[in-house]
Structures are given as structure tokens and as C-alpha cells.
Amino acid sequence: MQRLKSCLLKLAPTYGWAALFVIIAVNCVVYYGSRIFTRSMYHYNLTSRIDEIIPFVPAFIMVYIVVAYLQWGFGYFLSAREDEKTVAFIFLSEIAAKLLCLLIFFLIPTTMIRAEINGTGVFERLVGLVYLSDSPDNLLPSIHCLESYLLWRTMSLLKRAPAWYKKITPVISLLVFISVLLVKQHVIVDIVGAIAVTEIGMLFAKMMLSLFHKSKMNKCMTTIE
């Protein structure tokens, strides 16, 4: 056990692992827990004319279920290895954005009509499994896009991240945006909502940390006096 703890601490500091645990717990509560209360509520379909024109491309399911999760796992792990101030900002932004998502899930429950799967290829089967395991609700904002956009917005803060990661993150994030539309898991307004809650979450985190540091500074000054 001690050896495992030592290995984990070499990968990331204790506060980093704690932050990772907290955001996973918050995500589960927000995305899955909210359904207990919203299941019986009326759900709005926000599909636009443009969404109806966008084609169904099953191959993009690989971006949706493989590329996206790899990006999140690696990106948040790299974020957890940073200094306390950076970790606090990134993960507080994530939590604030997710809690705002929870509020929107309650206020505007959404749904959509998914694509009709006609083929029997590997990609079509994977899309079918996703449809079967994930009900078409809690769509606005898109959690997929929220995660990828936050990593995109905060990548410049990472001092220990490799240069290639910072170069490919915008590309991967855009691919994730495209994938949620092409596999018919989300509509355009869900992406806009994800960007909006992320920006609000980052603003909230910046304000909270600024107040915290100001309060800490005032305490130090009082002690000195």
C-alpha cells in the first residue's frame, strides 16, 4: 500500500488526486443523479433546421467514445499535476460549470430524436450500443463539449504539459464538437450551451480564488499589525 501511494504521488500531488476524485463524483451526481428527478418532467426538443440537415456519420462514434475519453483522461491528469493555484482554478471551473449544468437540466430538460440506424457495420453497432446505454436527455449543455472545451481553454496554464498536447488539444476539441452532431447525440444549441457554462464557470472560479487570496492577504496583514 505504501509503495502504491508513493507511485501515485510521483505522478501527481495529493491535492491533484483529490481534485480528480471530486470532479468524477460531481459529474456522476449531475449527469446521472439529475435523471431521477427530471425523468417525469416535460422534455423540450431544441432541434433546428440546420441540425436536421447535418448528416448522420456513424464513423464519428470513434471520436465520441474513444478520442474524447482519451483527451479527458490525459488532459485532466496533466492538469492535476500542476501547482495548487492552477489545479484549484481548473477544477473549480469544472465544478462550477457542472453545477450550472445541473440547474439547466432541471429548468430546461431536453431531448431529441436520434438517427435511424440502418447499417450493420462496426460503427453502426457502436452507435446502437451508445443509444441503448445513454438515454436522449440531459443534452443541454453537452457534457462532452464542456469537458473538451475546458481543456482547450486552460491548456495554456499547464506548465508541465508537453508541447504536442497543447498543439493537438484545439483540434481534438473541435472534432469532439463535430462528433456529437454527426452521431446525433446533440444539437447545435447544446454546444453553444457547453461553451457558455464553461466560460461562466471559469469566471466564477477566477472570482472565488481572487476573493480567497484577498482574504488571505488581509489576514496576514492583520497578524503583522
Side-chain angles (χ1 to χ4, degrees):
M1 184 62 71
Q2 190 62 37
R3 182 176 295 180
L4 175 61
K5 183 179 179 180
S6 178
C7 289
L8 290 175
L9 290 177
K10 285 181 180 179
L11 294 173
T14 302
Y15 60 79
W17 288 114
L20 286 171
F21 176 80
V22 170
I23 65 163
I24 292 172
V26 170
N27 184 74
C28 290
V29 170
V30 170
Y31 192 70
Y32 298 105
S34 61
R35 285 173 167 165
I36 299 172
F37 303 97
T38 61
R39 189 177 292 118
S40 60
M41 297 172 66
Y42 179 80
H43 284 61
Y44 300 89
N45 188 335
L46 302 180
T47 303
S48 67
R49 289 287 183 87
I50 299 176
D51 290 304
E52 293 175 351
I53 297 172
I54 296 173
F56 172 51
V57 185
F60 266 82
I61 195 64
M62 297 305 294
V63 176
Y64 187 84
I65 64 175
V66 178
V67 176
Y69 281 89
L70 287 175
Q71 180 197 25
W72 305 340
F74 189 61
Y76 282 109
F77 170 70
L78 288 178
S79 300
R81 301 178 70 210
E82 295 293 324
D83 60 89
E84 282 189 84
K85 186 177 179 180
T86 302
V87 170
F89 174 72
I90 294 174
F91 287 88
L92 185 57
S93 298
E94 158 85 9
I95 293 169
K98 286 285 177 65
L99 292 179
L100 188 52
C101 284
L102 180 62
L103 178 62
I104 296 172
F105 289 163
F106 279 112
L107 294 177
I108 316 174
T110 53
T111 188
M112 67 179 293
I113 298 173
R114 285 168 163 171
E116 183 178 342
I117 304 173
N118 296 317
T120 58
V122 174
F123 299 136
E124 287 82 0
R125 289 177 183 274
L126 286 173
V127 173
L129 287 174
V130 170
Y131 285 2
L132 187 64
S133 62
D134 186 28
S135 57
D137 53 19
N138 283 355
L139 303 179
L140 174 69
S142 165
I143 297 295
H144 253 68
C145 296
L146 184 160
E147 305 288 19
S148 292
Y149 183 68
L150 180 61
L151 290 175
W152 181 1
R153 287 285 281 114
T154 58
M155 65 179 184
S156 61
L157 302 176
L158 306 186
K159 302 176 183 66
R160 302 180 63 184
W164 60 264
Y165 168 80
K166 296 182 179 181
K167 289 180 180 179
I168 68 170
T169 292
V171 177
I172 293 177
S173 296
L174 287 173
L175 285 174
V176 171
F177 284 15
I178 294 169
S179 75
V180 304
L181 299 176
L182 295 184
V183 298
K184 299 300 177 179
Q185 276 288 87
H186 286 280
V187 294
I188 293 172
V189 70
D190 300 336
I191 299 176
V192 176
I195 293 173
V197 296
T198 303
E199 291 294 338
I200 293 172
M202 291 175 65
L203 181 61
F204 175 82
K206 186 177 180 179
M207 289 172 57
M208 289 298 100
L209 291 175
S210 177
L211 288 173
F212 173 77
H213 289 303
K214 188 178 293 185
S215 174
K216 195 173 180 181
M217 184 66 71
N218 289 337
K219 284 185 178 179
C220 290
M221 293 301 293
T222 302
T223 303
I224 294 171
E225 291 174 358

